[in-house]
Amino acid sequence: MLGIPDSEFHRGDAPMTKEEVRILTIAKARIEPDAVVYDIGAGTGSLTIEAALQAPKGEVYAIERKPEAVALIHENADVFGVAGRVHVIEAEAPDGMDALPPADAVLIGGSGSHLADILAAADERLRTGGRIVMNFITIQTLAAAIAWLRAQKAAYTYETIQIQVSRLRQVGPYDMAKAENPIYIVTAEKKADIA
Amino acid sequence: MLGIPDSEFHRGDAPMTKEEVRILTIAKARIEPDAVVYDIGAGTGSLTIEAALQAPKGEVYAIERKPEAVALIHENADVFGVAGRVHVIEAEAPDGMDALPPADAVLIGGSGSHLADILAAADERLRTGGRIVMNFITIQTLAAAIAWLRAQKAAYTYETIQIQVSRLRQVGPYDMAKAENPIYIVTAEKKADIA
Amino acid sequence: MLGIPDSEFHRGDAPMTKEEVRILTIAKARIEPDAVVYDIGAGTGSLTIEAALQAPKGEVYAIERKPEAVALIHENADVFGVAGRVHVIEAEAPDGMDALPPADAVLIGGSGSHLADILAAADERLRTGGRIVMNFITIQTLAAAIAWLRAQKAAYTYETIQIQVSRLRQVGPYDMAKAENPIYIVTAEKKADIA
Amino acid sequence: MLGIPDSEFHRGDAPMTKEEVRILTIAKARIEPDAVVYDIGAGTGSLTIEAALQAPKGEVYAIERKPEAVALIHENADVFGVAGRVHVIEAEAPDGMDALPPADAVLIGGSGSHLADILAAADERLRTGGRIVMNFITIQTLAAAIAWLRAQKAAYTYETIQIQVSRLRQVGPYDMAKAENPIYIVTAEKKADIA
C-alpha cells in the first residue's frame, strides 16, 4: 500500500513532500520488492519510508546533510518498522554516494546546487532500466535536470509532469479550495550507459 | 489602464482579491466609460476602485457590511482619486440594493449565504446586455450561482472559468513557485428579462 | 507496484482515467491485499485492474453499462493476469450492486445521474473503516457528492482534492506544457452506520 | 476596455493567445494612452490590437515573419478600427527592430530561438520605466528569459507568474472543466540602462 497520510510522519519543522507528490514520485519510480533505492536529500524521510515499504526485500539509502533531519529519518524508520532496511548517510550529496551498492531507483528531492554532480554519481550506479525520479520547485533546477538528460541523448528517456493540488477545507457549510505549491516531477529511465 | 498592484491598496487585515483575479473580473465585466457598477461584498474596495477607473463618467456602488472595510473603501477611493464617483453603502446585501439606480455591471465577491437573493436583486436592476461577474472560492456558492443561472433559462448566458495563479518568488539564484488559491469566475450576461 | 502507464491498457475509443489520477485514486482507497473492491462505472477497467493488482488475494467487482467497455475490461483483466479475481457486471449502477459481497473500498468514476442512489447502495455494503473514492469532472456531481456526505454527518469523514496535471511534451529543443483536465478526487471514510 | 473575446478575431489556423492570458499580458504592460508598443512574434495580432486599443494616441509595431499571419494582423487591425496606428513589419525578430522608435512597452509572444537577441534589441529601445512582458510555454525559453534578466542585475526587476485556466463547458445538465495549457508571464521593468 502506498500513500501514508502526511500527519503520520514525525516531521519537526522540516518541509515535507506532500502526500500526493510522494505517492506519484514513488509510483513513477516503479520500485520492485527487492529494489535498492537511493533517496537524495531525504529531509524527513517520507519518501525513504514509502520506498522501503514498497521494497520489503530491498534496501533504501537516504542521504541527508542536516543532523536534525537525519534524526527524523531514523525516527520515522522506527515508527513504520523499516529501520532494518533504511540506511541513513549524513552527508551532502554527491558526497556519500561513492560507497553505495548499485541502484534500481534514485529519488532526488532537495538537490541544492549540486544537481549535475548528483546525477552523474547516480548514473554511475544505476542499472540499465532503472529510474531517477526528481521533484523540483524551481525553474532553474528543473531546467538543469532536463538539460542534463537531453545531453545524455539515447542513454535516457524522460517524462516531465507538473502537478498542482488544491485541498478543499471544510469551513462551516462550505468547501473552500486552498492551493498547494505546484511541483515538477521528472522521471528518467536509463536505456543504456552514457556514451 | 487596468491592474493596480496589490501593494498600492490600503488593506488592513482584510482579504483582498488578488491582482490577476481583479484584472480578469473587471475585464469580463466590460465596463463602459459611463457605466453604473455595483460591487457587492466590496471588502477593501479593490474591485470598486478598478471599476471606477474604468468608468471615468460612471458611478460605482459598493455594498459592504463591515464598518472597518467601509472605512478602507473610502480611504482607497481617496488614494486613487475616485471618491466622487464611489458610493459606499454599509449593509449586508441584498439589503441596501433597493435604492440603487439601474446597473450596467454587477460584481459579486463575498456573497456569504444570501447569494440567490443578491442575484434576484441584481437582476431586477441590471439592464439587458449587462453583466454579472462573480468570484467564488467554495464549491457550494459556485454550484448555487450556476444553478440560479441555469434556472433563468434564456434570460442569461454564462461562462465559467477557474483560474489558478502561481507566483515565482526570487530566492537567491532560484525562482520558486508559490501557488495562490484557485478562483472560479462566473460571467453572466443578461439576454432578456426573466420569464 | 502501482501506476501502469496509460499506453499499456487496451482502451478502444473509451475515455480512460489518466495515470496520475488513477495512481492517486487507488492510493487513497488504501486497498489491503485481501480487499473486496467495487469499481462503479468502470469504463476501460484501468482502475479495476490496478485495484486487482493491489489486492492479490481480493476480488474486484466492476459495474459498467456499455457492452464494448465490458469487453475491454475483460481484455485488460486478461492482459494483466487478474481475470480470475475480476468480476464484470454489465449494468447501470446502482443496478447490479444488490448481489455484491460486503466491500472494503468503492471506486466511483462515471456516475451519471444516479450518484445518490449509488452512494446509498455502496454505503449499505461498505464496512466501517472502508473508503469510497470518487473522481469528478463536473461541478454538479462534485457538489452532489459532498452534499450527500455532509448529510450523513458523523457516519463519514471526507477529504477533497483537485488535481491538475500538465505534461511537458518534448518538441525539438523544447519542453512544452500541455494541460490535462483538472479532476476532483473525493475520499470518504465510513466511521459508523448512517443514523 | 480590455479583453476582446477570442471569437471576434480573424485567426485562420494560427494559434492565438487566449483571452485571459491576453488580458493579463496587456494589463501588466501598463500601456499609457500615448504609448509606443512593440509586439514581437505577433501571430494573429490579438495582442497588437488590444495594445492599440489601450493606446488611442499611441503606435503599435508588430513584427511577424509569416506572410499569412501578417495578413491576419492587417485584417484584425481593420476590424477593430486601429489600422492607422498599427504598423506591421514582416521579419523575424530581432530583424526589423532596428528602425523602430523608442518603446514604452514590449510584448514578446513567439520568440523562437532568438530570445536573447530580441531582449537586447528591445532593451536598447525601451525607455527607463518601460516594461517587457513575455509569454512562455516552454521551460527552456522561460529559463533563458529569467537568466537574461538576472544577468542585467539592477537594470531590471521582474515578476513571474504561471497562470492556468480551465473553462467549464456546459454539457447537458453539467458544467465540465476543460483545461487550457499553462502559460508563464514574465513582466520586467527597466530601472536603468544596462551597466
Side-chain angles (χ1 to χ4, degrees):
Chain A
M1 212 181 323
L2 176 57
I4 300 167
D6 292 351
S7 57
E8 296 188 15
F9 289 101
H10 291 214
R11 57 186 291 195
D13 298 327
M16 191 177 67
T17 306
K18 288 290 195 306
E19 180 184 328
E20 288 81 12
V21 174
R22 197 164 6 97
I23 291 169
L24 291 174
T25 298
I26 296 290
K28 286 178 182 286
R30 306 198 70 65
I31 297 171
E32 304 277 355
D34 61 351
V36 171
V37 181
Y38 306 168
D39 183 7
I40 309 295
T44 58
S46 64
L47 283 169
T48 301
I49 303 305
E50 298 259 23
L53 292 171
Q54 295 297 303
K57 297 173 189 168
E59 306 282 333
V60 183
Y61 296 86
I63 300 193
E64 171 55 46
R65 68 186 169 89
K66 293 190 188 163
E68 60 276 24
V70 167
L72 280 174
I73 302 169
H74 283 301
E75 264 182 62
N76 280 314
D78 281 337
V79 167
F80 291 96
V82 294
R85 293 178 292 107
V86 163
H87 313 279
V88 191
I89 295 131
E90 188 177 322
E92 182 165 0
D95 288 356
M97 295 177 71
D98 279 7
L100 300 184
D104 298 293
V106 178
L107 313 175
I108 302 181
S111 59
S113 51
H114 303 299
L115 182 62
D117 292 339
I118 290 169
L119 284 168
D123 171 70
E124 267 181 51
R125 285 155 190 83
L126 185 67
R127 70 165 169 83
T128 300
R131 291 185 162 202
I132 303 175
V133 186
M134 298 171 260
N135 296 344
F136 296 110
I137 58 170
T138 86
I139 226 58
Q140 285 84 6
T141 48
L142 169 65
I146 288 179
W148 188 91
L149 288 165
R150 284 176 169 263
Q152 311 318 325
K153 303 197 190 294
Y156 280 90
T157 58
Y158 70 96
E159 172 214 69
T160 309
I161 63 168
Q162 185 183 33
I163 169 179
Q164 203 274 317
V165 170
S166 293
R167 212 169 288 281
L168 272 65
R169 287 181 303 147
Q170 295 158 34
V171 181
Y174 299 118
D175 293 75
M176 199 172 289
K178 187 163 167 45
E180 288 177 7
N181 295 335
I183 306 277
Y184 285 97
I185 303 178
V186 178
T187 305
E189 187 166 315
K190 185 169 181 171
K191 295 297 186 184
D193 284 338
I194 293 178
Chain B
M1 213 182 325
L2 176 57
I4 301 167
D6 292 352
S7 57
E8 295 188 16
F9 289 102
H10 291 214
R11 57 185 291 194
D13 299 327
M16 191 175 67
T17 306
K18 288 290 195 305
E19 180 183 330
E20 289 82 11
V21 174
R22 197 163 8 97
I23 290 169
L24 291 174
T25 298
I26 295 290
K28 285 177 182 286
R30 305 198 71 64
I31 296 172
E32 304 277 355
D34 62 349
V36 171
V37 182
Y38 307 167
D39 184 7
I40 309 295
T44 58
S46 64
L47 284 168
T48 300
I49 303 304
E50 298 259 25
L53 292 171
Q54 294 297 303
K57 298 173 188 166
E59 306 282 334
V60 184
Y61 296 86
I63 299 192
E64 171 55 45
R65 69 185 168 89
K66 292 191 187 161
E68 61 276 24
V70 167
L72 280 174
I73 302 170
H74 283 301
E75 265 182 62
N76 280 314
D78 281 338
V79 168
F80 291 96
V82 294
R85 294 177 291 109
V86 164
H87 314 281
V88 191
I89 294 130
E90 188 176 322
E92 182 165 0
D95 289 356
M97 295 177 71
D98 279 7
L100 300 183
D104 298 294
V106 179
L107 313 175
I108 302 180
S111 59
S113 51
H114 303 300
L115 182 62
D117 291 340
I118 290 169
L119 284 169
D123 171 70
E124 267 181 52
R125 285 156 191 81
L126 185 67
R127 71 165 168 82
T128 300
R131 290 185 162 204
I132 304 175
V133 186
M134 298 171 261
N135 295 345
F136 296 110
I137 57 169
T138 86
I139 226 60
Q140 284 84 6
T141 48
L142 169 66
I146 289 179
W148 188 91
L149 288 165
R150 284 175 169 263
Q152 312 318 325
K153 304 197 190 292
Y156 280 89
T157 58
Y158 69 95
E159 173 213 68
T160 308
I161 63 168
Q162 184 183 34
I163 170 180
Q164 203 275 316
V165 170
S166 293
R167 211 168 290 281
L168 273 65
R169 288 181 303 147
Q170 295 158 34
V171 181
Y174 299 119
D175 293 75
M176 198 173 291
K178 185 162 168 45
E180 288 178 6
N181 295 334
I183 305 277
Y184 285 98
I185 304 178
V186 178
T187 305
E189 188 167 315
K190 185 169 182 172
K191 294 297 186 185
D193 285 337
I194 293 179
Chain C
M1 215 182 322
L2 176 57
I4 300 166
D6 292 351
S7 57
E8 296 189 14
F9 288 102
H10 292 215
R11 57 185 290 195
D13 299 327
M16 193 176 67
T17 306
K18 289 288 195 308
E19 181 183 328
E20 289 80 12
V21 173
R22 197 165 4 100
I23 290 169
L24 291 174
T25 298
I26 296 290
K28 285 178 183 286
R30 306 199 70 65
I31 296 171
E32 303 278 353
D34 61 352
V36 171
V37 181
Y38 307 167
D39 184 7
I40 309 295
T44 59
S46 64
L47 283 169
T48 301
I49 304 304
E50 297 260 22
L53 292 171
Q54 294 297 304
K57 298 174 188 165
E59 307 282 334
V60 184
Y61 296 86
I63 299 192
E64 172 54 47
R65 69 186 168 89
K66 294 190 186 162
E68 60 276 24
V70 167
L72 280 174
I73 302 169
H74 283 302
E75 265 183 62
N76 281 315
D78 280 338
V79 168
F80 291 96
V82 294
R85 293 177 291 108
V86 164
H87 313 280
V88 191
I89 295 133
E90 188 177 323
E92 183 165 359
D95 288 355
M97 296 177 71
D98 279 7
L100 300 183
D104 298 294
V106 178
L107 313 175
I108 301 180
S111 59
S113 51
H114 303 300
L115 182 63
D117 291 340
I118 290 168
L119 284 169
D123 171 70
E124 268 182 49
R125 285 158 189 79
L126 185 67
R127 71 164 168 83
T128 301
R131 290 185 163 204
I132 304 175
V133 186
M134 298 171 261
N135 295 345
F136 296 110
I137 58 169
T138 86
I139 225 62
Q140 285 84 6
T141 47
L142 169 66
I146 289 179
W148 188 90
L149 288 165
R150 284 176 169 264
Q152 312 319 324
K153 303 198 191 291
Y156 281 90
T157 57
Y158 69 96
E159 172 214 68
T160 308
I161 63 167
Q162 184 183 33
I163 169 178
Q164 205 275 316
V165 170
S166 294
R167 211 169 289 281
L168 272 64
R169 287 181 304 147
Q170 295 159 34
V171 181
Y174 299 119
D175 293 76
M176 199 173 291
K178 187 164 166 42
E180 289 178 5
N181 295 334
I183 305 278
Y184 285 98
I185 303 177
V186 179
T187 306
E189 187 167 315
K190 185 168 181 172
K191 295 297 187 185
D193 285 337
I194 292 178
Chain D
M1 214 182 324
L2 176 57
I4 300 167
D6 292 351
S7 57
E8 297 188 13
F9 289 101
H10 292 215
R11 59 185 288 194
D13 298 327
M16 192 176 67
T17 306
K18 288 290 195 307
E19 181 184 328
E20 289 80 12
V21 174
R22 198 168 0 100
I23 290 169
L24 291 175
T25 299
I26 296 290
K28 286 179 182 285
R30 306 199 69 65
I31 296 171
E32 303 277 353
D34 62 350
V36 171
V37 181
Y38 307 167
D39 184 7
I40 309 295
T44 59
S46 64
L47 283 168
T48 301
I49 304 303
E50 298 260 24
L53 291 171
Q54 295 296 304
K57 298 174 189 165
E59 306 282 333
V60 184
Y61 297 86
I63 299 192
E64 171 55 46
R65 68 187 169 90
K66 294 190 185 162
E68 61 275 24
V70 167
L72 279 174
I73 302 170
H74 283 301
E75 264 181 63
N76 280 315
D78 281 338
V79 167
F80 291 96
V82 294
R85 293 176 292 109
V86 164
H87 314 280
V88 191
I89 295 132
E90 188 177 322
E92 183 165 359
D95 288 356
M97 295 177 71
D98 280 6
L100 300 183
D104 299 294
V106 178
L107 313 175
I108 302 180
S111 59
S113 51
H114 304 300
L115 182 62
D117 291 339
I118 290 169
L119 284 169
D123 171 69
E124 267 182 51
R125 285 155 190 82
L126 185 66
R127 70 164 168 83
T128 300
R131 290 184 163 205
I132 304 175
V133 186
M134 298 171 261
N135 295 344
F136 297 110
I137 58 169
T138 86
I139 224 62
Q140 284 85 4
T141 48
L142 169 66
I146 289 179
W148 188 91
L149 288 165
R150 284 176 169 263
Q152 311 319 324
K153 302 198 191 293
Y156 281 89
T157 58
Y158 69 96
E159 172 214 69
T160 308
I161 63 168
Q162 185 183 32
I163 169 178
Q164 204 274 317
V165 170
S166 293
R167 212 168 288 282
L168 272 64
R169 288 182 303 148
Q170 295 158 35
V171 181
Y174 299 118
D175 293 76
M176 199 172 289
K178 187 164 167 43
E180 288 177 5
N181 295 334
I183 305 277
Y184 285 98
I185 303 177
V186 178
T187 305
E189 188 167 315
K190 185 169 181 171
K191 295 297 187 185
D193 284 337
I194 293 178

